[in-house]
Amino acid sequence: MGLLDKVERGIEKAVRGVFSTGSKAQVEPVEIASRLRREVDHKAITVAAGRTLAPNVFDVMLSDDDFQRAQEWGTPLAEELCDVVINHVRSQGYTLQGPVRISFRRDEVHRAGDFEITSKTERSSSPAPAAPRANVPAAPSRQPVRLQPVLDIDGQRYSLNAPSIVLGRSSEADILVDDTGVSRRHLEIQTAGGTTTAVDLGSTNGSYVNGHKVAGSMELTDGSTITMGRTKIIFRLLPANTGGRP
């Protein structure tokens, strides 16, 4: 079990007991993971049709107190946060120019509990694509338009570029859904042979498609509404050249 899982499972109470001397607020690993995803989306740049570059080098700027805690978390936390970035990049169909690196840095400007993330794209000698993409030549106008399945969640658009995408409250899910009514691994979206299917992963509160509870699995069609906890998700089929983030 990783550090991020421990925090979500309640072991954060022990962590806070150790690290909260004289501080009313502190940075938690799950907060850093969430901010990293937002930083990736904010800094992603579309350079060509179907190719969006994402940053791969991140500096987490922390107060003195939080920096000391980060030192105790050490390399295992940094490695798990790298995995968070890589999984998010893959779920969005972004491309990396090099390996993901995350560094914790002390910044006296920040107070305990506050932090900032800066990022940049750094090319390596062997570019590392984030997710496999088929190099499909442009189809003649008489051919049907290839459609890309996407999910619209709270104003964010996620491309379903992998055969399996897991949604849930865990930091290890491909798409994080921050909702207490959602299980850690709540729902899986499977795409194969032009068909997309919602598969409930034994969630506590169940999954619903267009108001019907998913008993095992249910096929999705353009405009299907998925409900998990209090979160509503719209499944869409968009032309492939606009199937990523707007």
Side-chain angles (χ1 to χ4, degrees), residues 29-146:
V30 290
E31 296 178 274
I32 300 175
S34 178
R35 190 81 64 84
L36 280 168
R37 294 187 187 92
R38 292 201 299 269
E39 178 71 12
V40 169
D41 290 336
H42 181 68
K43 295 292 182 66
I45 301 175
T46 300
V47 294
R51 189 165 186 262
T52 301
L53 295 182
N56 61 300
V57 177
F58 302 86
D59 287 333
V60 182
M61 316 300 291
L62 300 166
S63 68
D64 285 340
D65 290 342
D66 288 317
F67 180 76
Q68 291 177 11
R69 284 190 290 273
Q71 285 184 308
E72 295 187 36
W73 292 330
T75 301
L77 175 62
E79 291 176 345
E80 286 198 40
L81 292 174
C82 285
D83 289 339
V84 168
V85 172
I86 292 169
N87 288 336
H88 186 68
V89 166
R90 285 175 176 165
S91 72
Q92 295 305 290
Y94 298 151
T95 298
L96 294 173
Q97 291 288 80
V100 174
R101 289 206 319 270
I102 294 177
S103 302
F104 301 109
R105 300 190 183 279
R106 180 186 287 111
D107 188 346
E108 296 178 355
V109 173
H110 295 287
R111 296 179 298 177
D114 295 329
F115 69 101
E116 180 184 1
I117 293 179
T118 62
S119 64
K120 62 182 178 180
T121 298
E122 189 172 283
R123 181 188 293 271
S124 70
S125 56
S126 300
R133 279 183 175 272
N135 186 13
V136 181
S141 58
R142 65 178 181 274
Q143 295 293 332
V145 176
R146 187 168 63 92

Side-chain angles (χ1 to χ4, degrees), residues 144-150 160 191 194 196 222 236-241 243:
V145 176
R146 187 168 63 92
L147 297 178
Q148 169 68 52
V150 303
L160 302 177
T191 303
T196 303
D222 187 29
R236 301 287 306 279
L237 290 172
L238 301 178
N241 61 345

